[in-house]
């Protein structure tokens, strides 16, 4: 069976999308799914995730310290089947690079995957503290469980 390829995207690729990447990866069998992440900006190319994202993931038993920041590119529309944007700005920036309707159809706002979550955007914790990173982790853990349940069924 073909591998389903899923890309998580935020602005910097150091706070939110590395968490979404690590969390979803931990919930899916790696022989059937490939998960990656990228940023719409070029601010943190090659960098490790933010130390607060690494810490909150580690508290929950997930290691994201090996990830490295990279920028989203048009090629990602060919390389991935589903592209999850963390917020509306990320969604708009990704769709702006789309070449076809098929490209656009791959892009979703991640929190739309769980109708029980009332927030529409994963809040950017970059200028916040550990409680903001915990909140982001909880939101992403909930929605990634829903996504994994849908993909595994
Ligand atoms: P992220 O958070 O998009 O969740 O990775 C940010 C990280 C860095 C910056 C903004 C948001 N920045 O402006 O450098």
């Amino acid at each position: 069976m073909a591998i389903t390829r899923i890309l998580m995207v935020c602005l910097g690729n150091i706070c939110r999308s590395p968490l979404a990447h690590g969390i979803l990866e931990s919930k899916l069998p790696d022989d059937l799914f490939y998960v990656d992440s990228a940023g719409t900006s070029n601010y943190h190319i090659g960098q490790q995730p933010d130390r607060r994202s690494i810490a909150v993931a580690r508290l929950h038993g997930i290691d994201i310290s090996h990830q490295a920041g990279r920028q989203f590119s048009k090629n990602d529309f060919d390389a991935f089947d589903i592209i999850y944007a963390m917020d509306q700005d990320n969604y708009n920036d990704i769709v702006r690079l789309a070449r076809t309707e098929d490209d656009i159809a791959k892009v979703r706002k991640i929190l739309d995957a769980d109708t029980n979550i009332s927030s529409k955007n994963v809040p950017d914790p970059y200028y916040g503290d550990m409680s903001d990173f915990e909140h982001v982790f909880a939101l992403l853990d909930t929605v990634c469980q829903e996504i994994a349940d849908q993909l595994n069924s």
Side-chain angles (χ1 to χ4, degrees), residues 10-16 43-44 124-127:
C10 62
L11 174 63
N13 193 208
I14 54 166
C15 296
R16 292 166 292 175
Y43 303 158
H44 300 283
D124 182 352
Y126 187 59
Y127 294 105

Side-chain angles (χ1 to χ4, degrees), residues 61-77:
I62 298 171
D63 179 14
I64 62 167
S65 64
H66 56 281
Q67 294 183 24
R70 72 170 181 90
Q71 188 172 21
F72 180 85
S73 81
K74 283 182 197 232
N75 297 336
D76 288 315
F77 288 115

Side-chain angles (χ1 to χ4, degrees), residues 5-148:
R5 300 172 64 93
I6 301 159
L7 184 66
M8 302 296 191
V9 182
C10 62
L11 174 63
N13 193 208
I14 54 166
C15 296
R16 292 166 292 175
S17 60
L19 280 173
H21 170 178
I23 292 167
L24 186 63
E25 196 170 55
S26 78
K27 296 179 188 293
L28 292 173
D30 63 7
D31 56 335
L32 294 178
F33 297 94
Y34 173 75
V35 186
D36 192 16
S37 61
T40 56
S41 77
N42 62 4
Y43 303 158
H44 300 283
I45 292 172
Q47 290 181 20
Q48 222 183 12
D50 187 285
R51 61 186 163 72
R52 297 163 296 178
S53 283
I54 293 175
V56 78
R58 189 169 286 142
L59 277 173
H60 295 271
I62 298 171
D63 179 14
I64 62 167
S65 64
H66 56 281
Q67 294 183 24
R70 72 170 181 90
Q71 188 172 21
F72 180 85
S73 81
K74 283 182 197 232
N75 297 336
D76 288 315
F77 288 115
D78 300 322
F80 290 90
D81 303 299
I82 309 171
I83 298 168
Y84 283 116
M86 298 299 117
D87 67 25
Q88 188 67 47
D89 288 343
N90 309 148
Y91 179 92
N92 295 346
D93 289 341
I94 298 164
V95 164
R96 201 171 293 124
L97 294 173
R99 304 149 304 178
T100 64
E101 290 302 313
D102 284 351
D103 286 355
I104 295 174
K106 292 183 175 186
V107 191
R108 305 173 193 174
K109 277 173 64 182
I110 192 166
L111 295 186
D112 289 347
D114 189 337
T115 52
N116 293 316
I117 298 178
S118 56
S119 318
K120 295 286 167 218
N121 300 300
V122 181
D124 182 352
Y126 187 59
Y127 294 105
D129 59 24
M130 273 311 281
S131 70
D132 299 294
F133 280 79
E134 276 287 1
H135 176 62
V136 165
F137 186 96
L139 265 180
L140 289 173
D141 193 48
T142 301
V143 76
C144 285
Q145 189 60 55
E146 177 63 28
I147 290 168

